Structure formats: structure tokens, C-alpha cells
Amino acid sequence: MRDTRESRLLLVLLVAIAFALITMDIRGGEDSPVDGARQAAAKVFGPVENGVSGAVDPVGNAIGAVRDSGERHDRISQLERENAALKARLGSDDRNRSKIRQLDTMLKTAGTGQYGIKGAQVIAIGSAQGFSWTVTIDAGADDGLKRDMTVLNGDGLVGRVTTVGPSTATVLLANDPDFTVGTRMEKTDELGFTSGQGDRPLRVQLLNGKAKVKKGDRLVTFGSQADKPFVPGVPVGTVVRVDPSGGDLTRTVYVQPYVGFTKLDVVGVVVQPPRTDPRDTVLPSKPAKPKPAPTVTVTVTPSAPAGGTADNGYQQ
């Protein structure tokens, strides 16, 4: 369109009409005569406006993305914390279940041997006394513990109490080289002295140099005078090696202890000895030997040749 006097007049007229419509829309509010036209235009041009706005407004999009990312990060952090707490609870439950199993086994052992025990938990290893194989337990004089009391768990002999404080006590473990206990062989009643050898099997000096001992034999504590430091009948271990006597007055055997000294947790201190010697009753039951499978022999009789008779070895 050329810039003529008529075109300028038309432009002025359109501007005036536009201002008039704006004034009517503002004053009319919800009853504005142009409200219907405005809503129709919004339906047509609204999606286009949103698309154009998203394309031409990267700053606004970036701000929104950062805000959403922050919210997602906070949520992920919260989930990670909840997951860690759940794992901690599950781990605690596993430890509690393990302690319950250990306590249950120990109570069965104590019940079989008629030992009155005080339960305790290992809280430290080593001690100020310089022993190489000792543990500290969370029970002491306030719990009725005294020096030279037998310590056991569900598997067998753990050691003996050496020092006692008000709320803790030190236990010398049965595998310490300074540890010695009188023992008795199962069934044969052969006596000996068992000593610790650290992480190696226990060493047993049998009093009878001609005693018949074989791999797999088991032994228990013999017991001490007045039941201190050892009560009788506590399982010690199983024979794993027997040295030839060689004419010596004593015989040496080596025993694998029942107790795992590197993984102690729940233990029991015998505060009341049994009324009678339990002998071998506290030893674990031996697994039943598998019965040999029956052998079936099948004899095949050769069949007679076609058109003939079988030769039965009889002649007329």
C-alpha cells in the first residue's frame, strides 16, 4: 500500500477503533462484548504462543529445569537416606538374629550340663595384662562374676576368667599358650592335660602313653577341685592327629577345638557348677552314618538258539 493521505486516515481510524474496543473491554469486565472473541482467539493462538514461548525463552526453560532438577535431587537424597537407614535396621536385625541363635544354643548346652550361667557379650579383644589370647566381656563383679570361673558358649569351652572389674571381666581363651585344662577322653576316660597353641590345634598330653586314641575321638573337661577354675563335662574338641608314643610315659594328641576363638560374641560364665558330673552328655550328637546302598546282582541266562533247544548240560 502506498503512503497516501487515504492510507494515513485509515490507519488513524483503525487505531481509534482499537482504543475504543480496549476501553469497552476494560469497563465491561466479565460482561465485555469482546469476551467471546478473546476466548476464541485464545483457543486458536494459545498453543502456538506456548510453543513459540518454549522455543524463544531458553532462560525461562533453564530456570524451570534447574528448579525441577533440584527437587529431584532432594528426593533422591531422601530416598538414599531412607535406604541407608533401612539397610542399617536390616543389618541390626541380622545381628540380633545371630545373637539369638547363639544364646539359644548356649542355653541348651548349659541346660544339658546343668550349669548355672551368666550371659555376657565380648566387647573387646586383648587386655592390659599382656595376654596374647584374651577377650573382655561386659559382665563383672556386679553380676556375680569372680576370678577362675569357667567360660563357655554353645559350642564348648571358651576359657576362664582371670581378672574381674565392677562391670567387665577378662577371659583367658583356651587356645592361649598359657592356658592348661584337665581333660577326659570320651568313652575311654583317658585323662590328660590340654594346652593352647594359638591358632594351631590344642595339644593334649595323655597320662597313659599306651592309650588307644584315634582321629575323631572327642574330649571334655575333667573338672577342678571345688569346680574352679573348670567345671566338668564341657566339650573341648575332636582329635585330629595322634603322635606315636615312642615308648614315652605320656602320649601327645592334637585336638581341633569346637569353639572358634576368632569369632566370639555371646558367651556364658558358669556361676553355679552342676550337682553331678555330666560326663559326655554335653557333647554334640554324632551324625548318623549313612546306610550302604544294597547291592543287587542280576544273572542273565542265555536264551536257546532259534529252531533248537537250550543245552541244560544233561545227556542221556
Side-chain angles (χ1 to χ4, degrees):
M1 181 181 293
R2 292 180 297 176
D3 187 14
T4 61
R5 184 169 179 270
E6 290 81 3
S7 62
R8 287 196 294 271
L9 290 174
L10 179 59
L11 179 60
V12 172
L13 179 61
L14 291 175
V15 172
I17 292 172
F19 275 109
L21 291 175
I22 293 172
T23 302
M24 291 172 61
D25 185 34
I26 293 174
R27 291 180 179 180
E30 295 181 356
D31 297 330
S32 171
V34 297
D35 183 62
R38 183 172 63 250
Q39 292 181 3
K43 291 181 180 179
V44 175
F45 297 106
V48 178
E49 182 183 10
N50 290 336
V52 173
S53 175
V56 301
D57 192 11
V59 177
N61 291 340
I63 294 174
V66 171
R67 181 179 63 252
D68 294 341
S69 176
E71 293 175 354
R72 287 194 297 270
H73 179 73
D74 293 342
R75 179 58 178 161
I76 291 173
S77 298
Q78 180 182 356
L79 291 175
E80 289 177 346
R81 289 193 297 270
E82 292 175 355
N83 190 30
L86 179 60
K87 288 181 178 179
R89 287 196 296 270
L90 289 176
S92 178
D93 290 342
D94 289 341
R95 287 191 293 272
N96 290 335
R97 284 192 292 269
S98 175
K99 289 179 182 178
I100 290 173
R101 287 194 298 270
Q102 294 179 54
L103 181 60
D104 182 61
T105 305
M106 185 176 67
L107 290 176
K108 289 180 180 178
T109 298
T112 303
Q114 300 180 352
Y115 308 122
I117 63 172
K118 173 65 180 179
Q121 185 175 356
V122 174
I123 58 175
I125 59 174
S127 69
Q129 285 78 8
F131 298 126
S132 56
W133 290 89
T134 61
V135 295
T136 301
I137 58 176
D138 62 351
D142 295 343
D143 303 290
L145 270 58
K146 297 179 181 179
R147 179 182 171 88
D148 287 336
M149 284 185 167
T150 306
V151 183
L152 52 77
N153 65 5
D155 298 322
L157 180 66
V158 172
R160 64 180 176 87
V161 176
T162 55
T163 57
V164 181
S167 58
T168 61
T170 300
V171 178
L172 180 66
L173 301 181
N175 64 333
D176 188 276
D178 290 334
F179 185 96
T180 301
V181 57
T183 52
R184 180 177 56 80
M185 299 298 301
E186 180 185 16
K187 296 180 180 179
T188 64
D189 292 337
E190 293 289 350
L191 302 181
F193 294 97
T194 300
S195 302
Q197 296 194 115
D199 55 1
R200 293 179 294 168
L202 306 176
R203 184 173 182 269
V204 183
Q205 288 288 124
L206 292 178
L207 301 183
N208 182 3
K210 298 181 180 181
K212 295 182 179 180
V213 185
K214 64 182 183 300
K215 183 178 180 181
D217 287 349
R218 306 184 297 180
L219 62 160
V220 298
T221 57
F222 178 69
S224 306
Q225 185 176 4
D227 298 309
K228 287 188 177 183
F230 302 107
V231 295
V234 180
V236 176
T238 304
V239 174
V240 292
R241 194 175 94 225
V242 181
D243 281 353
S245 60
D248 295 335
L249 297 178
T250 60
R251 194 170 190 183
T252 303
V253 300
Y254 296 90
V255 172
Q256 182 63 39
Y258 288 121
V259 172
F261 298 105
T262 60
K263 52 183 180 180
L264 291 171
D265 188 6
V266 177
V267 299
V269 181
V270 180
V271 295
Q272 183 177 354
R275 295 181 180 178
T276 58
D277 188 345
R279 306 291 293 181
D280 303 330
T281 59
V282 189
L283 284 168
S285 301
K286 289 185 176 180
K289 294 182 179 180
K291 296 182 179 180
T295 303
V296 178
T297 303
V298 179
T299 303
V300 179
T301 302
S303 59
T309 59
D311 184 5
N312 56 12
Y314 175 74
Q315 295 181 352
Q316 294 182 348

